[in-house]
Amino acid sequence: MFVEQQVALQPYNSFGIAARAQHLVRVRGADDVRAVLAGPWAQHPLFVLGGGSNIVLTGDVRALVLKVENRGRRLLGENDKSWLIEAEAGENWHKLVHWTLMQGWPGLENMALIPGTVGASPVQNIGAYGVELQDRFDSLDAIDLQSGREFQLRADQCAFAYRDSVFKHGPDTRWGASSAMGLAGRALILRVRFRLSKRWRPELGYQDLERKRAEHPGAPITPLQVFEWVCEVRRAKLPDPEVIGNAGSFFKNPTVTPEQCADIIGRDPKVVFYHLPDGRIKLAAGWLIDACGWKGKSIGHAGVYERQALVLVNRGGRNNPCTGGEVMTLARAIQTSVYERFGIMLEPEPVVV
Ligand code: EPU
């Protein structure tokens, strides 16, 4: 195990914020984690870094950064109903999606081009265009960052919800330590398994994909075709982090009661909303932010993307990047104005470090 000192994190976070890890270890397997836990670093706070596509760095990281870099992907097995695919946590998510399609194993195509790594995908239950990770998830292997013990979690043990899982919550101590549930900061995901059905059906329920289908009448709807449409829609709407630093959607879409929604419609009839199966209503946070006039605005070098108000971007590029403080100041200003106008407090999606 080799501990690197003063490592620049700018290449390792998709915002392109300049910050350093005071100490960093590259994890290429469970043994690297166990080596850390067996030595003096075991007493030091640890921070797990995947693809860095869902974090805002507000300063240098003092915790020992465990940068997940284990690679490999494979077909573990199949039966007459499905394929079981396994990928190591350090694999790039989009490359995994593309590879599975090339092998003839469809199912992940709606989640094409989501930045980040395989290991980060269950943490916030990534999703796009009507499919969430939990719909294709089988199980994962992780390592306990206190004991070094490896363990497996099935879907029902991950507490998946909209952009949420057991990995985003700290231990719940309300009922005593024995019922501690949250795994935030306590586990490092080593690999993830996906169950892909052999009875493939395209998921084209989202307006953007319906539009693509209407533009190409008669085109055969194959998994690769859906993949290409998703890539086209995302490229048109969302900034490529390689070109303009960002962390995807900065806020979650809030849910409200039908009464709250009726109240907002009364004042703003154009508000965009979706009915959820449980009777509640999800509002488009991008629309709320846009309605408050934030599109294209900036604080320092942090800005609101011109084509999608839900995405905050780094306008200073690599040479003159925004700071995490600027991003959070902008985020708080947006929260305040959305709250003042609609009475809704937006919740940020990325982890603030
Ligand atoms: N809208 C505006 N102005 C804006 C942005 C959006 O009026 O500036 C309106 C749009 O016209 C549309 C509605 O708001 O009617 C929703 O926008 P969009 O379809 O772009 O999707 P979203 O709700 O903003 C969510 C996810 C994305 C995911 C897409 C597609 C969240 C927080 N975001 O975005 O996920 O790709 O749906 O499924 O759930 C991410 O999490 O990083 C992410 C990109």
Side-chain angles (χ1 to χ4, degrees):
M1 180 196 73
F2 175 58
V3 182
E4 296 170 48
Q5 310 291 340
Q6 299 300 329
V7 180
L9 292 177
Q10 192 177 32
Y12 301 149
N13 75 98
S14 62
F15 252 116
I17 292 170
R20 284 176 180 280
Q22 291 186 352
H23 324 280
L24 181 143
V25 168
R26 292 173 199 274
V27 172
R28 294 186 174 118
D31 285 348
D32 291 324
V33 181
R34 278 192 281 268
V36 168
L37 299 178
W41 290 102
Q43 308 311 320
H44 205 79
L46 303 174
F47 176 75
V48 179
L49 178 63
S53 57
N54 204 41
I55 58 170
V56 182
L57 295 169
T58 55
D60 288 351
V61 182
R62 280 198 283 270
L64 172 65
V65 174
L66 299 176
K67 184 163 185 301
V68 182
E69 294 188 351
N70 53 332
R71 307 295 298 268
R73 50 196 188 191
R74 55 199 75 88
L75 175 69
L76 273 190
E78 66 180 290
N79 55 33
D80 52 346
K81 292 205 181 77
S82 61
W83 295 278
L84 183 63
I85 317 294
E86 182 177 76
E88 301 295 312
E91 287 287 333
N92 173 276
W93 171 263
H94 177 71
K95 287 187 181 153
L96 174 74
V97 173
H98 187 248
W99 176 75
T100 53
L101 290 170
M102 290 297 114
Q103 307 304 309
W105 308 322
L108 300 179
E109 57 282 351
N110 290 50
M111 293 183 281
L113 274 188
I114 296 182
T117 53
V118 166
S121 65
V123 175
Q124 64 151 351
N125 185 23
I126 58 170
Y129 306 104
V131 180
E132 286 185 322
L133 179 100
Q134 64 174 328
D135 304 324
R136 305 288 183 262
F137 178 89
D138 176 78
S139 55
L140 60 79
D141 296 336
I143 184 163
D144 185 312
L145 290 177
Q146 280 159 10
S147 65
R149 195 178 51 88
E150 272 185 58
F151 61 97
Q152 199 183 105
L153 291 183
R154 299 182 311 265
D156 61 327
Q157 297 168 306
C158 290
F160 287 129
Y162 167 58
R163 297 294 192 275
D164 200 19
S165 76
V166 71
F167 298 100
K168 280 188 108 172
H169 297 271
D172 183 348
T173 48
R174 277 175 302 171
W175 320 110
S178 59
S179 68
M181 280 294 296
L183 289 175
R186 290 185 48 191
L188 181 146
I189 295 170
L190 290 168
R191 63 190 67 84
V192 183
R193 285 174 289 276
F194 305 90
R195 175 74 63 185
L196 302 180
S197 171
K198 290 190 174 174
R199 267 188 240 129
W200 180 79
R201 278 184 298 111
E203 295 279 352
L204 297 173
Y206 252 64
Q207 214 183 12
D208 288 327
L209 295 182
E210 272 172 9
R211 209 172 290 140
K212 284 281 174 198
R213 183 187 210 164
E215 282 167 14
H216 302 86
I221 314 278
T222 62
L224 211 52
Q225 180 64 78
V226 176
F227 171 86
E228 271 156 23
W229 285 344
V230 169
C231 291
E232 284 171 22
V233 169
R234 289 187 74 100
R235 287 197 174 108
K237 272 195 167 182
L238 298 166
D240 176 354
E242 295 294 324
V243 183
I244 307 174
N246 73 90
S249 298
F250 199 89
F251 298 99
K252 293 184 188 181
N253 286 329
T255 48
V256 295
T257 62
E259 294 74 30
Q260 282 172 301
C261 187
D263 182 48
I264 293 171
I265 293 170
R267 284 178 284 145
D268 277 285
K270 288 198 191 133
V271 63
V272 177
F273 61 90
Y274 319 93
H275 292 276
L276 296 176
D278 66 1
R280 287 175 65 82
I281 292 176
K282 187 178 272 193
L283 302 177
W287 187 91
L288 300 173
I289 298 166
D290 196 1
C292 292
W294 280 100
K295 220 181 230 176
K297 295 272 168 61
S298 298
I299 289 185
H301 288 128
V304 180
Y305 190 52
E306 287 77 4
R307 277 182 269 160
Q308 164 60 289
L310 194 49
V311 179
L312 303 191
V313 294
N314 168 15
R315 290 206 199 286
R318 296 264 144 206
N319 296 334
N320 214 353
C322 63
T323 64
E326 287 171 340
V327 173
M328 294 316 295
T329 305
L330 178 59
R332 278 190 282 268
I334 291 170
Q335 281 174 313
T336 304
S337 71
V338 169
Y339 185 75
E340 283 173 356
R341 173 148 171 200
F342 298 104
I344 290 164
M345 185 49 89
L346 293 179
E347 193 189 329
E349 227 191 60
V351 176
V352 182
V353 186

